[in-house]
Amino acid sequence: MSLNIAMLGTGRIADQELAPALARVDGAQLWSVLSRDPGRGKAFAERHGAAAASPVHTDLQHLLADDELDAVLIATPDKLHAAQCIAAARAAKHVLTEKPMATDIVEAQAMIDACEEAGVVLAVAYHMRWHAGHRKLAGMVHEGRLGTLRHVRAQWTSLAPNDQNWRASPEVGRWWGLAGVGTHCLDQIRWLMTPSCGEIVAQSNLISREVWKGPHDETALVSLQFESGATAEICTSVLFNAPKRMEVFASDTYAVCDDTFGPHGSGVITIGGEPMAYEVVNPYVGEITDFVAAVRDGRAPEVDGREGLRNVATLVAAVSDVARH
Ligand SMILES: NC(=O)c1ccc[n+]([C@@H]2O[C@H](COP(=O)([O-])OP(=O)(O)OC[C@H]3O[C@@H](n4cnc5c(N)ncnc54)[C@H](OP(=O)(O)O)[C@@H]3O)[C@@H](O)[C@H]2O)c1
């Protein structure tokens, strides 16, 4: 039996990555789509072969009333995720939500509670966990093959042409670079570090927003300390292009991931200066495959709601000195 999945939102990630990846996942298919605009919804449904007889919806409750629908993939702006997830759970649909799962902790907890009460899977879409090179490196780190983990540094930036991006304004976003890519850096750091280093026990933040002088982070520097004393740093910005890079420092050696952050699943990884071989795969296919398997097998997904909430908590703390909006 195939899992019928609805796409909520027809934007960049839904159109360019998620729908094409879903088409490659065994045991699942794009069933229907939610768009504010019926023409955009129809074009999306046709482009990606949505399988329902009437696949286009402009009303979420109408989409969720479909008995043949099993799950939703939430690919809308960040502040819409919580209400859409809770509505889906109450309709007994499983949820794979884009990151960050919510824009505050109360909402993230409400999403977890709604999915638990309904007995549906809640997964958070941190696709970098299915970059095969990062996955191989994480396995080595978790086995202690680099020695004792001491420090991780992650840098992922972009150059925004202007501030006409929903992430820059408070209506449907709460963070800019931190939500766009900083949350991925944080997820990678948490994935590598928490098994051996424990939870985050200290955090310091530097948020700069002086170019467009809007409410949200333009450049964000976040430093973290874990229970073991190990530390980590995140540098994210929408003001400049820079090498996308993650560095992992341990007591025996260090690893460097160059240009691996992104949708492509490629880039160069070295350990102690020596190249680490890995197969380039589409990370979004892995992410959706894990979600489908979690639903099918009744198990937790790789990144569940509780892990998504811990990520949100750190993002919230990162801007705690910045006025709430
Ligand atoms: N994991 C990743 O690699 C990755 C990459 C990029 C983004 N994301 C996440 O995916 C989500 C969507 O990001 P995106 O870059 O795809 O954004 P986007 O291109 O702006 O698309 C968002 C879509 O949501 C729908 N939408 C509903 N209400 C909206 C509103 N008030 N304002 C704007 N759009 C609205 C729109 O579809 P309709 O116009 O058809 O209603 C829009 O096309 C975000 O949570 C983001 O963090 C993840």
Side-chain angles (χ1 to χ4, degrees):
M1 197 193 96
S2 190
L3 198 75
N4 292 332
I5 302 181
M7 190 73 72
L8 310 190
T10 62
R12 188 172 67 87
I13 192 70
D15 196 42
Q16 295 179 13
E17 307 297 346
L18 298 174
L22 174 53
R24 293 176 52 192
V25 173
D26 289 337
Q29 63 180 350
L30 179 66
W31 182 252
S32 54
V33 58
L34 180 75
S35 174
R36 293 165 299 173
D37 178 80
R40 206 159 41 241
K42 183 168 182 285
F44 185 94
E46 287 175 0
R47 197 157 54 247
H48 298 292
S54 301
V56 182
H57 301 269
T58 53
D59 177 75
L60 179 61
Q61 290 302 339
H62 192 255
L63 176 143
L64 294 172
D66 181 350
D67 288 339
E68 292 181 87
L69 179 69
D70 300 303
V72 299
L73 211 170
I74 301 177
T76 53
D78 305 341
K79 279 189 177 169
L80 306 186
H81 297 176
Q84 291 177 331
C85 168
I86 292 165
R90 288 182 180 155
K93 313 300 182 193
H94 303 278
V95 178
L96 171 56
T97 180
E98 267 303 342
K99 39 49 65 173
M101 68 185 285
T103 54
D104 69 40
I105 298 165
V106 173
E107 282 187 340
Q109 187 62 54
M111 294 164 78
I112 294 168
D113 293 344
C115 289
E116 283 183 356
E117 277 165 29
V120 295
V121 169
L122 171 58
V124 188
Y126 285 105
H127 75 282
M128 284 304 303
R129 293 220 187 184
W130 285 272
H131 183 295
H134 281 228
R135 220 167 165 76
K136 183 172 175 180
L137 176 62
M140 294 173 72
V141 167
H142 294 159
E143 288 167 12
R145 287 166 60 187
L146 278 64
T148 305
L149 208 45
R150 298 298 190 206
H151 186 67
V152 177
R153 190 155 58 199
Q155 171 174 289
W156 189 349
T157 77
S158 62
L159 177 57
N162 52 51
D163 63 353
Q164 300 307 300
N165 182 306
W166 57 258
R167 291 182 185 82
S169 67
E171 284 77 30
V172 290
R174 183 168 181 190
W175 308 274
W176 195 348
L178 274 171
V181 293
T183 186
H184 280 302
C185 296
L186 175 59
D187 181 63
Q188 290 292 295
I189 286 168
R190 290 190 52 83
W191 185 35
L192 292 172
M193 298 186 79
T194 55
S196 63
C197 302
E199 271 300 326
I200 294 168
V201 292
Q203 175 175 351
S204 68
N205 318 290
L206 204 156
I207 304 294
S208 173
R209 45 186 186 141
E210 295 305 314
V211 173
W212 284 295
K213 302 191 185 304
H216 295 171
D217 53 290
E218 295 169 355
T219 297
L221 307 176
V222 178
S223 303
L224 304 167
Q225 186 179 351
F226 291 77
E227 287 172 63
S228 72
T231 48
E233 295 166 83
I234 297 166
C235 169
T236 184
S237 180
V238 297
L239 298 180
F240 55 88
N241 282 314
K244 296 177 180 63
R245 176 171 254 243
M246 182 165 75
E247 298 154 318
V248 181
F249 303 98
S251 55
D252 294 346
T253 188
Y254 61 89
V256 178
C257 304
D258 268 318
D259 202 26
T260 51
F261 283 143
H264 42 67
S266 59
V268 174
I269 300 180
T270 56
I271 298 179
E274 296 296 320
M276 187 198 84
Y278 67 91
E279 187 189 356
V280 174
V281 299
N282 181 320
Y284 299 94
V285 172
E287 166 184 287
I288 299 172
T289 299
D290 176 69
F291 172 65
V292 171
V295 171
R296 187 191 58 222
D297 301 341
R299 63 156 171 85
E302 170 101 15
V303 187
D304 64 9
R306 290 181 198 291
E307 182 59 17
L309 183 149
R310 291 187 197 103
N311 192 303
V312 168
T314 299
L315 299 184
V316 169
V319 295
S320 59
D321 292 338
V322 179
R324 183 72 212 260
H325 30 79

